[in-house]
Structures are given as C-alpha cells and as structure tokens.
C-alpha cells in the first residue's frame, strides 16, 4: 500500500512539473500572417489602402524577425499614383526585416542618419511579447525621434496574431491594433 502511494505521489509530482514547464514556455509567433483589415483598428493610410499586408515571422530561442510586405492598392482619392510598394522595394522596408533579440537586453545599431535601439520583454506568463524600438538622429539639420512599442499575442488556437502598438514621433502619437490571420 505504501508503495502504491509513493508511486502515485511521484506520478503526480512529475505531471505537475510537466504542466508547470509548458505553462511558462514563451509563445512562438513564427509563420506567415495576413492582415485582417476588418478586425484591425487605427491603420495608417498606407496599410488601409494596401491590397495586402503580410508578415513573415521567424523565431528561435535567441531572436524574432518580422519581415513586413505591403502590396500597394489604389491610391487615396487625390493622392499620387500607386506603385508596387510605395517606393519601398516592392513592399519591403528599406532596411529589411525588423530583428529583436529575445534575451531582454537592449541593442543599438547605426541606421539611416541615426541610431536604432531595440528591446524585447516577455510577459510573466510568456504569452505576450513586448517589442520596443527607438530611432533617433538628425536629418537635414533637424533632430528626430520615433518610438514604437508593440505587444504581440496569439489567440488560444494560435491562428490569430494581435499586435497592439503605440507610435510617437514628430507628428504626434498614434495607437493601432493590427489583427493577422495565419496563412
């Protein structure tokens, strides 16, 4: 009888350890994602008028990379004619994918007349990843600073990615929520 209780106790402890370990595994955002404009809010005009907006995310234990592609749609009324990507290399930003280290340390690099400082922070439960980026410098004698804070989270079934973001720059602040569906 003692042996039965001992075995049952060990099995319970092992089961709790497995559950605890999986509960703190960070979310994995890797995959190809397509913006759902009907569920998103506060989109900038470029995204709102785009034919499509997609993210290709790669992630491992050390970093996350987000490669954004915007395929231009019809230009806004009274705006200039549209092209394949708004003059940004077919939709990709001029600097390529955004890459964040997942070690929680701040990283700074030289970027287009200034510096770009990035940092990522996991929530305590590992379900939300906060990405922050500050780009500062000087162009044509004018100082500039752009700050972006994003909070990425997945739906329970892993098929919907939500990016709640706050941007601040010389033109003011902007809040938006981008909702992506897994492709």
């Amino acid at each position: 009888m003692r042996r039965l209780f001992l075995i049952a106790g060990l099995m319970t402890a092992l089961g709790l350890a497995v559950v605890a370990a999986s509960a703190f595994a960070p979310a994995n955002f890797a995959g190809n994602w397509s913006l759902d404009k009907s569920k998103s809010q506060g989109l900038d005009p470029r995204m709102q008028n785009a034919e499509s907006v997609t993210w290709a995310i790669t992630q491992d234990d050390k970093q996350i990379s987000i490669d954004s592609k915007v395929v231009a749609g019809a230009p806004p009324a009274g705006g200039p004619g549209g092209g394949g990507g708004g003059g940004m290399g077919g939709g990709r930003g001029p600097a390529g994918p955004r890459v964040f280290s997942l070690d929680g340390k701040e990283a700074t690099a030289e970027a287009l007349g200034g510096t770009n400082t990035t940092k990522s922070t996991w929530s305590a439960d590992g379900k939300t990843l906060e990405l922050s980026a500050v780009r500062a410098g000087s162009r044509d004698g004018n100082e500039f600073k752009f700050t972006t804070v994003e909070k990425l989270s997945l739906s329970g079934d892993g098929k919907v990615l939500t990016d709640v973001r706050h941007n601040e720059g010389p033109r003011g602040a902007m809040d938006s929520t981008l909702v992506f569906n897994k492709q």
Side-chain angles (χ1 to χ4, degrees):
M1 190 67 143
R2 282 185 184 165
R3 188 177 297 165
L4 183 62
F5 283 122
L6 179 61
I7 291 172
L10 288 173
M11 295 298 283
T12 301
L14 179 62
L16 288 173
V18 168
V19 169
S22 66
F24 293 103
N28 189 335
F29 301 100
N32 294 312
W33 302 91
S34 179
L35 181 68
D36 186 337
K37 290 195 265 185
S38 69
K39 294 180 181 173
S40 299
Q41 300 174 359
L43 295 176
D44 65 37
R46 181 172 176 240
M47 283 189 186
Q48 187 63 47
N49 295 320
E51 183 178 314
S52 68
V53 178
T54 56
W55 280 6
I57 299 178
T58 56
Q59 179 181 339
D60 59 28
D61 292 342
K62 295 182 170 81
Q63 71 179 20
I64 185 169
S65 172
I66 304 171
D67 193 5
S68 178
K69 182 176 181 184
V70 178
V71 175
M88 308 243 334
R92 176 176 292 167
R98 298 181 299 138
V99 179
F100 294 82
S101 173
L102 294 176
D103 63 7
K105 296 178 184 169
E106 204 170 77
T108 301
E110 295 296 316
L112 301 173
T115 59
N116 192 34
T117 303
T118 60
K119 184 178 180 182
S120 68
T121 307
W122 285 103
S123 62
D125 63 4
K127 293 182 179 182
T128 303
L129 179 62
E130 182 175 296
L131 304 174
S132 62
V134 177
R135 189 164 164 263
S138 176
R139 184 177 299 153
D140 299 327
N142 297 316
E143 298 291 320
F144 65 85
K145 181 177 179 181
F146 296 95
T147 303
T148 303
V149 177
E150 302 177 70
K151 292 184 180 181
L152 303 179
S153 61
L154 290 174
S155 61
D157 63 4
K159 294 181 180 179
V160 177
L161 167 66
T162 302
D163 175 15
V164 177
R165 63 171 56 174
H166 177 77
N167 293 311
E168 290 189 20
R171 295 183 181 172
M174 181 176 167
D175 292 311
S176 57
T177 301
L178 283 61
V179 178
F180 292 85
N181 296 314
K182 195 154 199 174
Q183 295 180 333

